[in-house]
């Protein structure tokens, strides 16, 4: 077809109020015309008066309503026809031996080809294809409406032809501004679909460790009639809850299930509905999901050997933090104190060592020993329990003072192998102390450790430590043990090896973390710093980060892995980013690390070598497994795991959650855009039958012919002639 110019005419009304006012005006004139038509004259004269009367009515109407005509000129010419073939997973549903994808392929054969046709595979995105090689239906979504909006921006496009089951997964309404002509061919099932499905799963985005979380799910059923379905919630193959749910035919039912998370981080669960042997879509009978599990409140045991300003400030900080459940003891009376009264008459209770360290030790996330001597309370048998508690993942911090470290005789106890520093083995001469005021100096290479990083910029952090009020006195420590890291060092004191003496040291023991702070004046960073015009918030920021680091807050881990999504379809592509740092939070630069995709049983499926950049960052892409389930990504260096994260592979997902075909969407698209709708794929005509004409607006012309003075003259003349005739013929 060659280009041609088409003119479309539209009528409007110049009278204020438009068409309604014009109609009212016309009705009034019609009544006047009828009333004026009652005359008793011979037929020739009567016909003349009636003609004059209705000519005057017509002239009055066009003069008063001012009909206006708009002529829109368009150039119509051949355009491109974009043919979209749905390859989403719902097209793979089989009923009575044939899938929707097979019926679509048959329709494509009947369509044939045309020079102006461009073929696309429609999933979450559009992919150009050869119609002779249609991809299998594996796309995890069918975003029909968003992709139509993209195509409409193509100036060469004349029309779009969509072959689909209409199951759009974008969740968008049909846009009212869609101007491109859309033709549709509905690809249906051979018979009514039979399907029980878990249509939606919504769990709490964040759940608290050992606290109850909620799962909300929506179940649907079609083709089976009203039925009762058994729902099961599982974690790692273990059944957590079972429910019977009544679902009406063709309807849905919402349920709520409570569960208790038992591990931090991303925890995987699976919701299942019993499977009927006749179910056409068994893939949507099971939906895994992930929950990010965090601690609700940290349970901290704070034990201080005696009252002090340092104890007062630290205890006050812990009590102010609403996320901390604090159990605090500071000793005012030991078992060796002499009293003249019976112990039952005293207000002060003896230190409950057995209750704390044997019965309830594992209930704490962190133990803080501040200037505390264990010996007077017969705690020697409990120190190995604290060591084992740390090995199994607990946190331990020892804060300085004359009763800490060697002053408390810890050098020959089970805690000597736990703490990150070296101590003198005995305390025969009491605690060894370095006297005098000093400003501890951060190790320059470690300023990005979370305990030191008061500011993102390293120079700001170093300047902030120099601006803090100096500390007064420090425990004389012999250095850091193997695996320990000295974060703050004394500017003058040396270890026997000639190195700077550590003031703040951290390390790991088993699965737990430990901290040794060799001073009892860290409170100088608070009120005394404020007194000299400094920033007293450094005290709170330091102890907040110290506690979070000791209790393994995921946000303060040195290494991390993340996937671009939590859930993937089979054979999808997983985009991965990560950050690799050593225990001192120094970037692992330009290193080859092993990235593995593991099953839930830690069996490797795919392994690749990835290389970090100068900042320790990495990125990679791995293929998702073919089978659904829970999988994990792990980053390993020299056989040591640095980080891991969980992800899901789903057969169902959003695409198969509601797999019923939706012909109404396709009908609406065609009707709204002036396209053609074919209700059965078997009736699809050839491509030439679908109009792909592209129109270009050339402009609009306005014609208002009745606004000329001539029409007023005509009206006056007709009325005058009628009046004269009536007078002569005796009808006035």
């Amino acid at each position: 077809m060659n280009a041609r110019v088409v003119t479309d005419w539209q009528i409007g009304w110049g009278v204020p109020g438009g068409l309604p006012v014009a109609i009212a005006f016309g009705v009034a004139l019609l009544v006047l015309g009828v009333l004026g038509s009652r005359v008793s004259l011979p037929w020739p004269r009567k016909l003349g008066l009636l003609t004059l009367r209705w000519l005057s009515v017509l002239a009055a109407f066009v003069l008063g309503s001012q009909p206006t005509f708009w002529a829109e000129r368009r150039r119509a010419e051949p355009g491109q026809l974009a043919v979209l073939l749905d390859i989403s997973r719902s097209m793979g549903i089989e009923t009575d031996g044939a899938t929707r994808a097979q019926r679509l392929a048959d329709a494509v054969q009947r369509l044939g080809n045309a020079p102006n046709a461009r073929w696309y595979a429609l999933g979450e995105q559009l992919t150009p294809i050869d119609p002779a090689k249609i991809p299998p239906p594996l796309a995890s979504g069918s975003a029909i409406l968003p992709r139509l909006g993209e195509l409409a921006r193509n100036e060469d496009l004349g029309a779009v032809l969509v072959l689909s089951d209409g199951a759009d997964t974008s969740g968008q309404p049909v846009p009212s501004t869609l101007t491109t002509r859309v033709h549709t061919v509905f690809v249906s099932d051979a018979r009514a679909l039979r399907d029980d499905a878990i249509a939606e799963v919504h769990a709490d985005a964040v759940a608290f460790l050992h606290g109850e979380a909620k799962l909300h799910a929506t179940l649907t059923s079609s083709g089976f009639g009203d039925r009762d379905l058994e729902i099961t919630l599982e974690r790692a193959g273990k059944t957590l809850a079972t429910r019977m749910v009544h679902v009406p035919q063709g309807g849905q039912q919402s349920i709520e299930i409570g569960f208790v998370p038992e591990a931090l981080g991303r925890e995987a669960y699976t919701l299942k509905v019993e499977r009927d042997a006749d179910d056409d879509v068994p893939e949507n009978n099971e939906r895994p999901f992930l929950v990010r599990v965090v601690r609700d409140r940290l349970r901290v045991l704070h034990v201080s050997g005696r009252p002090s300003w340092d104890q007062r400030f630290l205890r006050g900080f812990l009590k102010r933090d609403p996320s901390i459940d604090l159990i605090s003891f500071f000793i005012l009376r030991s078992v060796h104190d002499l009293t003249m009264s019976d112990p039952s008459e005293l207000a002060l209770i003896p230190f409950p060592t057995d209750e704390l360290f044997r019965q309830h030790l594992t209930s704490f996330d962190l133990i803080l020993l501040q200037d505390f001597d264990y010996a007077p309370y017969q705690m020697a048998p409990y120190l190995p329990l604290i060591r084992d508690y740390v090995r199994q993942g607990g946190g331990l911090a020892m804060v300085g003072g004359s009763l800490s470290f060697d002053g408390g005789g810890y050098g020959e106890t089970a805690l000597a192998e736990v703490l990150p520093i070296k101590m003198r083995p005995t305390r025969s001469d009491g605690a060894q102390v370095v006297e005098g005021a000093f400003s501890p100096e951060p190790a320059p290479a470690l300023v990005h450790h979370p305990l030191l990083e008061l500011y993102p910029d390293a120079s700001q952090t170093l300047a902030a430590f120099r601006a803090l009020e100096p500390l007064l006195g420090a425990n004389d420590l012999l250095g850091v043990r193997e695996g320990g890291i000295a974060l703050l060092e004394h500017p003058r004191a040396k270890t026997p090896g000639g190195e700077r003496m550590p003031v703040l040291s951290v390390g790991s023991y088993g699965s737990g973390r430990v901290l040794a702070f060799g001073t009892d004046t860290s409170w100088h960073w608070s009120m005394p710093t404020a007194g000299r015009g400094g920033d007293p918030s450094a005290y709170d920021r330091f102890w907040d980060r110290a506690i979070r680091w000791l209790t393994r807050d995921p946000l303060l881990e040195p290494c991390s892995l993340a996937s671009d999504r939590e859930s993937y379809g089979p054979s999808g592509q997983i985009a991965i980013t990560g950050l690799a740092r050593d225990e001192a939070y120094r970037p692992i630069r330009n290193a080859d690390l092993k990235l593995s995709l593991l099953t839930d049983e830690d069996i490797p499926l795919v392994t690749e070598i990835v290389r970090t950049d100068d900042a320790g960052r990495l990125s990679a892409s791995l293929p998702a497994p073919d089978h659904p389930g829970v999988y994990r990504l792990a980053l390993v260096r020299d056989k040591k795991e640095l980080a891991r994260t969980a992800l899901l592979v789903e057969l169902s997902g959003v695409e198969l959650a509601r797999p019923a075909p939706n012909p109404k969407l396709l009908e609406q698209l065609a009707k709204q855009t002036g396209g053609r709708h074919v209700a059965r794929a078997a009736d699809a005509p050839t491509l030439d039958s679908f109009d792909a004409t592209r129109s270009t607006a050339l402009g609009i012309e306005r014609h208002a012919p009745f606004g000329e003075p001539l029409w007023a003259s005509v009206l006056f003349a007709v009325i005058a002639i009628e009046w004269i005739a009536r007078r002569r013929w005796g009808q006035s």
Side-chain angles (χ1 to χ4, degrees):
M1 181 185 73
N2 297 323
R4 56 190 176 87
V5 176
V6 179
T7 302
D8 291 333
W9 290 89
Q10 292 184 347
I11 187 171
W13 305 93
V15 64
L19 180 62
V21 173
I23 293 175
F25 181 55
V27 170
L29 291 175
L30 183 63
V31 171
L32 291 175
V34 171
L35 293 176
S37 299
R38 298 175 181 176
V39 293
S40 299
L41 289 171
W43 178 246
R45 292 184 177 185
K46 182 177 181 180
L47 180 61
L49 284 180
L50 290 177
T51 302
L52 290 171
R53 170 51 57 100
W54 288 109
L55 284 175
S56 64
V57 168
L58 178 61
F61 177 75
V62 297
L63 186 64
S65 62
Q66 286 295 306
T68 304
F69 303 94
W70 280 270
E72 181 182 5
R73 299 175 66 248
R74 297 179 292 105
R75 183 173 66 247
E77 56 187 339
Q80 295 287 336
L81 177 64
V83 185
L84 278 52
L85 307 181
D86 192 342
I87 61 163
S88 62
R89 294 191 63 82
S90 65
M91 297 297 291
I93 294 174
E94 180 178 334
T95 53
D96 290 350
T99 66
R100 298 175 187 174
Q102 290 170 335
R103 284 188 283 278
L104 180 144
D106 293 340
V108 169
Q109 292 292 326
R110 285 187 291 274
L111 289 173
N113 209 338
N116 67 330
R118 291 178 295 175
W119 298 80
Y120 297 90
L122 170 64
E124 292 183 315
Q125 304 296 330
L126 289 179
T127 306
I129 60 168
D130 180 347
K133 300 177 181 178
I134 304 175
L138 296 176
S140 57
S142 50
I144 300 174
L145 299 176
R147 302 295 81 81
L148 288 177
E150 289 180 9
L151 285 172
R153 294 194 289 268
N154 190 328
E155 294 182 356
D156 296 331
L157 187 66
V160 179
L161 173 60
V162 180
L163 285 80
S164 171
D165 57 7
D168 180 75
T169 59
S170 68
Q172 298 182 7
V174 176
S176 59
T177 57
L178 191 61
T179 57
T180 302
R181 186 184 299 108
V182 180
H183 307 292
T184 56
V185 174
F186 175 54
V187 183
S188 63
D189 295 314
R191 56 162 170 75
L193 192 69
R194 295 192 292 255
D195 180 45
D196 295 324
I198 303 173
E200 297 177 9
V201 173
H202 300 288
D204 293 342
V206 177
F208 297 116
L209 186 66
H210 304 312
E212 187 178 36
K214 296 292 185 182
L215 164 71
H216 301 271
T218 301
L219 310 179
T220 61
S221 181
S222 59
F224 290 114
D226 292 1
R227 59 204 275 110
D228 293 322
L229 298 175
E230 184 179 64
I231 303 299
T232 304
L233 178 63
E234 297 181 356
R235 179 183 60 231
K238 177 183 177 183
T239 299
L240 303 181
T242 300
R243 294 273 185 87
M244 292 300 297
V245 181
H246 179 76
V247 185
Q249 158 62 25
Q252 63 183 37
Q253 186 63 262
S254 297
I255 61 168
E256 179 182 275
I257 300 177
F259 60 98
V260 179
E262 296 182 353
L264 290 172
R266 281 184 178 180
E267 193 171 18
Y269 296 83
T270 302
L271 185 66
K272 297 181 178 180
V273 61
E274 64 176 313
R275 183 175 299 178
D276 192 291
D278 294 328
D279 196 318
D280 292 322
V281 195
E283 295 91 342
N284 59 23
N285 290 54
E286 182 175 317
R287 292 288 295 272
F289 62 95
L290 295 174
V291 177
R292 187 167 71 90
V293 183
V294 299
R295 287 188 174 91
D296 180 10
R297 303 186 71 185
L298 293 172
R299 188 167 166 81
V300 177
L301 174 61
H302 178 213
V303 179
S304 180
R306 54 191 172 190
S308 68
W309 282 104
D310 206 40
Q311 177 270 334
R312 178 178 178 180
F313 271 79
L314 183 53
R315 184 171 182 268
F317 165 77
L318 296 171
K319 290 184 67 175
R320 287 195 307 272
D321 192 333
S323 67
I324 292 177
D325 183 11
L326 177 65
I327 306 296
S328 179
F329 287 92
F330 62 93
I331 310 302
L332 297 179
R333 177 173 68 86
S334 74
V335 294
H336 298 300
D337 289 339
L338 297 176
T339 64
M340 302 303 295
S341 302
D342 186 271
S344 63
E345 299 176 0
L346 299 175
L348 300 177
I349 63 172
F351 186 47
T353 51
D354 193 73
E355 182 179 359
L356 288 175
F357 297 104
R358 191 179 298 278
Q359 299 179 33
H360 300 294
L361 181 62
T362 57
S363 70
F364 295 105
D365 299 296
L366 173 64
I367 298 174
L368 281 168
L369 301 179
Q370 185 174 18
D371 197 16
F372 176 70
D373 182 359
Y374 71 90
Y377 311 99
Q378 287 83 47
M379 276 191 56
Y382 301 99
L383 297 185
L385 299 180
I386 298 177
R387 176 197 61 197
D388 297 340
Y389 156 84
V390 176
R391 180 190 291 120
Q392 294 165 11
L396 172 67
M398 183 173 287
V399 182
S402 61
L403 301 180
S404 292
F405 303 109
D406 62 318
Y410 289 98
E412 294 180 327
T413 68
L415 295 192
E417 62 181 279
V418 176
L419 293 169
I421 45 85
K422 300 176 183 177
M423 300 172 285
R424 291 175 175 80
T426 63
R427 54 174 176 171
S428 57
D429 299 326
Q432 302 294 311
V433 178
V434 177
E435 302 286 354
F438 70 98
S439 293
E441 297 182 356
L446 305 178
V447 289
H448 291 297
H449 192 286
L451 271 66
L452 299 183
E453 195 174 34
L454 300 180
Y455 297 95
D457 183 73
S459 60
Q460 284 183 292
T461 295
L462 295 173
F465 272 102
R466 289 193 293 268
L468 296 174
E469 178 74 9
L471 306 181
L472 188 61
N475 291 81
D476 189 5
L477 303 174
L478 303 182
V480 294
R481 65 172 176 83
E482 184 179 357
I485 302 171
L487 298 179
L488 292 177
E489 299 172 331
H490 200 287
R492 302 183 303 273
K494 304 290 184 181
T495 67
E499 302 168 339
R500 281 189 173 186
M501 187 188 76
V503 176
L504 173 66
S505 303
V506 295
S508 299
Y509 183 77
S511 300
R513 285 178 172 170
V514 287
L515 176 149
F517 199 5
T519 181
D520 62 352
T521 57
S522 67
W523 66 278
H524 283 201
W525 292 348
S526 183
M527 187 171 64
T529 293
R532 59 183 289 185
D535 180 10
S537 67
Y539 177 85
D540 286 0
R541 294 207 303 276
F542 167 76
W543 277 111
D544 173 69
R545 285 174 166 260
I547 290 168
R548 288 167 56 200
W549 180 84
L550 285 164
T551 54
R552 290 194 177 275
D553 186 325
L555 296 178
L556 295 185
E557 289 298 302
C559 300
S560 63
L561 270 181
S563 55
D564 59 331
R565 292 185 296 170
E566 289 186 349
S567 177
Y568 299 86
S571 303
Q573 205 66 22
I574 307 170
I576 304 159
T577 56
L579 178 63
R581 298 180 293 188
D582 62 17
E583 289 293 328
Y585 289 76
R586 293 172 297 213
I588 301 176
R589 308 176 191 274
N590 305 313
D592 290 332
L593 307 179
K594 186 168 70 173
L595 178 66
S596 297
L597 179 64
L598 312 172
T599 67
D600 203 25
E601 295 79 24
D602 280 352
I603 300 173
L605 296 179
V606 181
T607 298
E608 283 193 7
I609 301 299
V610 295
R611 190 165 184 82
T612 61
D613 61 14
D614 286 341
R617 295 185 296 263
L618 60 96
S619 61
S621 180
L622 294 178
D626 295 332
H627 300 288
V630 178
Y631 296 87
R632 304 186 189 278
L633 292 168
L635 187 66
V636 177
R637 184 191 191 194
D638 298 332
K639 298 183 179 181
K640 179 181 180 182
E641 185 171 291
L642 302 179
R644 70 164 46 202
T645 189
L647 57 89
L648 306 175
V649 173
E650 294 186 90
L651 282 178
S652 172
V654 176
E655 172 65 19
L656 293 183
R658 299 181 184 272
N662 184 11
K664 291 183 179 180
L665 173 67
L666 301 180
E667 291 175 12
Q668 183 181 357
L669 277 172
K671 181 178 180 181
Q672 183 172 308
T673 61
R676 176 181 179 182
H677 175 67
V678 179
R680 296 174 65 247
D683 297 333
T686 62
L687 287 180
D688 295 336
S689 303
F690 295 99
D691 184 8
T693 303
R694 180 168 62 91
S695 296
T696 304
L698 299 178
I700 299 176
E701 297 177 356
R702 179 178 179 271
H703 301 275
F706 303 107
E708 300 294 332
L710 173 64
W711 285 97
S713 301
V714 170
L715 174 63
F716 177 77
V718 171
I719 293 175
I721 294 172
E722 181 189 2
W723 181 77
I724 293 171
R726 283 177 175 273
R727 295 276 296 182
R728 283 190 172 186
W729 296 335
Q731 298 296 316
S732 58

